[in-house]
Amino acid sequence: MGLPSFVFESRRARVKASLPEGTVAIVAAHAEVTRSRDSDYPFRQSSDFWYLTGFLEPDAVLILRQDTPDCLVVRPNDPEAEVWTGRRLGPERVHSRLGIPEAYPLTELDTVLDKALSTAVRVDYPFDCIRSTRLVEAAFQRVRGQKRKQQLLSHRADLSVILHAHRQLKSPEEIDLMRRAGEISAKGHVAAMQQVQPGMTEDQLASIVEHTFRMEGSPSLAYQTIVGGGDNACILHYIDRTDRLRSGDLVLIDAGCEWHGYAGDITRTFPINGQFTGAQRALYDVVLAAQSAALADVRPGLSIRAYHETAVRVLTQGLLDLKILKGSLVEALDTKAYLPYYMHGTGHLLGLDVHDVGVYEQQGEPITLQPGMVVTVEPGLYLSKTSQAPARYRGIGIRIEDDVVVTETGHEVLTDAVPKDPEAIESLMRDHR
Ligand code: GLY
Ligand code: MN
Ligand code: MN
């Protein structure tokens, strides 16, 4: 079940309550994007628009103001077009289905926007949304009188600031949806561990993960599935997936489904033939220790940077212990000697976008974790074939990534249904050979 319309109504009410009197807020849905000639990419709604309406058709526009009923402008019903491209809700059903009291067809968009702006003191829209920006700018051009136009132009504000602050803190209903996104994503990774065979292509293994998501009812991916065998695991966002998987190598899978818009984001790394080699296991244990130490630092009141610093410390100590780095821990941390092998952050906010909205810093200081924030915890080590690492460790890339909600007392891992303990992985793989 998706969220009922009153949830979206209360989100709109909260956003409106944060706006100064006389402000009109405008949020556009995404438009379709052409893939090739007359066929489009699968449509994905704008996350901001989805968050406020739950409406999944393209082209619509939401207009909010504290002292008037919420208003949605939608594609009109058109029986001929609907035969070709699918059913449309149409303005008549907006109120009963979405709980938005006023609705107009897109043919009246300019009139509706002009009327809303005619009495506006301030206009807010998400500055990072091209379509919202274009619609507002075009409406400003239609305003009569230079003085009035100037007045509106100098009273614009970025709605993202308020909207993204709300999106950064997830409600219990959102966390339920994210828990399901985590569960389904975990099933995809388990299926890959069970069904991988040396000789398969990376893309064939990706199809097993994605097939599982679809069979569990998730119609779309949160991002392009990454499957990298051997050295390809050292390419952080490797989406080519053209190579064959070789016995003796590890494979890294970073894949997550979308559930009612919310992203799962899991990475697991495991041996293609079911058994870690000594060198693989030594590095894997370092990454796993870093992840478990970092997870312990995901709790309310700690800085969002703390778990990254913890992961870096454990990874660096591990690289020193394995003689991949030389010198003391303090020195290696000071000079960031780990950077050739660990070049990304240890996590990000997660929600309707895989790299979700919300600030990481305020007044130059990292924010403090709060209950309701959802983050990933994803340390890794990447010792590519061309690296300076001792030969036995070259061509190995490892990342372990889970999705974690900050709770009142600590955290909850949403994605622990897929094993990451190396013996548990080997045992799961053995049981399915
Ligand atoms: N899947 C992208 C990331 O982990 O950030
Ligand atoms: Mn991630
Ligand atoms: Mn990921």
Side-chain angles (χ1 to χ4, degrees):
M1 265 289 284
L3 297 169
S5 61
F6 69 80
V7 170
F8 298 99
E9 195 177 327
S10 73
R11 290 174 178 175
R12 293 193 298 274
R14 273 204 310 276
V15 167
K16 283 188 294 183
S18 323
L19 298 174
E21 218 176 295
T23 304
V24 172
I26 295 165
V27 185
H30 277 169
E32 301 263 26
V33 180
T34 305
R35 180 178 181 276
S36 128
R37 197 159 142 79
D38 59 352
S39 52
D40 295 330
Y41 283 105
F43 181 71
R44 169 53 159 80
Q45 188 54 280
S46 136
S47 297
D48 283 339
F49 185 87
W50 194 337
Y51 181 78
L52 291 172
T53 63
F55 186 48
L56 299 182
E57 287 185 25
D59 300 339
V61 182
L62 176 70
I63 301 158
L64 300 177
R65 189 176 161 142
Q66 265 178 32
D67 50 5
T68 58
D70 297 353
C71 172
L72 193 66
V73 185
V74 300
R75 296 186 303 178
N77 285 116
D78 177 343
E80 211 172 305
E82 288 176 53
V83 167
W84 290 90
T85 55
R87 297 186 185 93
R88 298 175 176 188
L89 184 65
E92 290 77 20
R93 278 176 291 187
V94 164
H95 190 197
S96 62
R97 290 282 187 80
L98 304 173
I100 297 178
E102 258 191 45
Y104 298 93
L106 273 166
T107 42
E108 289 174 39
L109 178 62
D110 288 357
T111 318
V112 174
L113 283 177
D114 294 353
K115 179 155 176 269
L117 291 198
S118 68
T119 53
V121 176
R122 188 174 112 158
V123 182
D124 285 24
Y125 56 96
F127 284 5
D128 62 356
C129 170
I130 295 170
R131 190 157 173 263
S132 302
T133 306
R134 284 204 185 126
L135 287 173
V136 172
E137 282 176 356
F140 281 174
Q141 289 311 314
R142 295 192 297 271
V143 169
R144 296 236 183 88
Q146 273 312 314
K147 198 160 155 231
R148 173 71 182 143
K149 205 179 274 189
Q150 271 314 318
Q151 189 188 27
L152 283 173
L153 281 168
S154 54
H155 288 84
R156 287 177 295 176
D158 188 358
L159 187 68
S160 309
V161 176
I162 290 164
L163 197 49
H164 295 177
H166 286 293
R167 281 180 53 192
Q168 189 166 16
L169 292 177
K170 275 75 181 172
S171 67
E173 302 83 41
E174 287 178 289
I175 291 168
D176 281 345
L177 295 176
M178 294 192 74
R179 202 174 275 120
R180 182 74 185 129
E183 270 169 22
I184 297 174
S185 302
K187 285 191 182 189
H189 284 261
V190 168
M193 287 177 184
Q194 290 172 334
Q195 294 174 48
V196 66
Q197 298 286 347
M200 258 181 190
T201 66
E202 294 164 332
D203 192 56
Q204 285 165 342
L205 188 56
S207 79
I208 291 172
V209 178
E210 295 176 2
H211 172 76
T212 309
F213 296 168
R214 300 269 276 275
M215 293 306 282
E216 290 291 324
S218 159
S220 41
L221 303 172
Y223 54 91
Q224 297 255 62
T225 300
I226 295 163
V227 177
D231 197 47
N232 291 341
C234 299
I235 302 168
L236 300 179
H237 286 172
Y238 172 79
I239 50 169
D240 291 354
R241 305 190 312 231
T242 42
D243 285 351
R244 284 194 189 277
L245 299 169
R246 288 191 313 244
S247 179
D249 279 348
L250 295 178
V251 62
L252 179 153
I253 302 182
D254 183 345
C257 76
E258 205 172 72
W259 184 251
H260 295 277
Y262 290 87
D265 183 9
I266 301 182
T267 308
R268 288 292 185 269
T269 312
F270 53 92
I272 291 160
N273 64 13
Q275 272 220 297
F276 286 92
T277 65
Q280 291 165 352
R281 176 67 190 264
L283 287 170
Y284 189 93
D285 286 346
V286 172
V287 178
L288 188 58
Q291 209 228 13
S292 106
L295 276 170
D297 281 348
V298 178
R299 56 196 144 95
L302 286 195
S303 143
I304 198 166
R305 286 271 313 168
Y307 74 89
H308 173 64
E309 284 159 10
T310 298
V312 164
R313 207 173 321 112
V314 177
L315 292 171
T316 306
Q317 184 62 59
L319 291 169
L320 290 165
D321 294 345
L322 296 177
K323 313 243 178 311
I324 296 166
L325 292 180
K326 293 189 178 66
S328 72
L329 179 62
V330 175
E331 209 175 70
L333 290 172
D334 262 5
T335 57
K336 298 192 191 309
Y338 56 85
L339 272 181
Y341 307 117
Y342 185 49
M343 59 299 275
H344 60 75
T346 305
H348 50 84
L349 295 161
L350 185 73
L352 285 169
D353 292 300
V354 64
H355 296 158
D356 206 27
V357 294
V359 292
Y360 290 77
E361 283 188 1
Q362 257 164 350
Q363 280 110 38
E365 290 298 314
I367 58 157
T368 298
L369 292 171
Q370 286 179 52
M373 287 182 180
V374 182
V375 294
T376 65
V377 179
E378 50 177 308
L381 284 175
Y382 311 93
L383 293 86
S384 72
K385 274 190 174 153
T386 54
S387 73
Q388 301 297 311
R392 65 192 298 252
Y393 296 119
R394 284 187 217 148
I396 300 176
I398 297 165
R399 179 162 65 252
I400 304 172
E401 174 173 32
D402 283 298
D403 304 344
V404 187
V405 189
V406 182
T407 62
E408 295 290 339
T409 53
H411 67 250
E412 176 191 342
V413 179
L414 301 177
T415 46
D416 54 9
V418 50
K420 57 189 170 187
D421 172 80
E423 269 135 37
I425 291 175
E426 285 180 344
S427 145
L428 174 77
M429 294 180 75
R430 218 175 12 250
D431 291 346
H432 286 82
R433 242 121 252 270

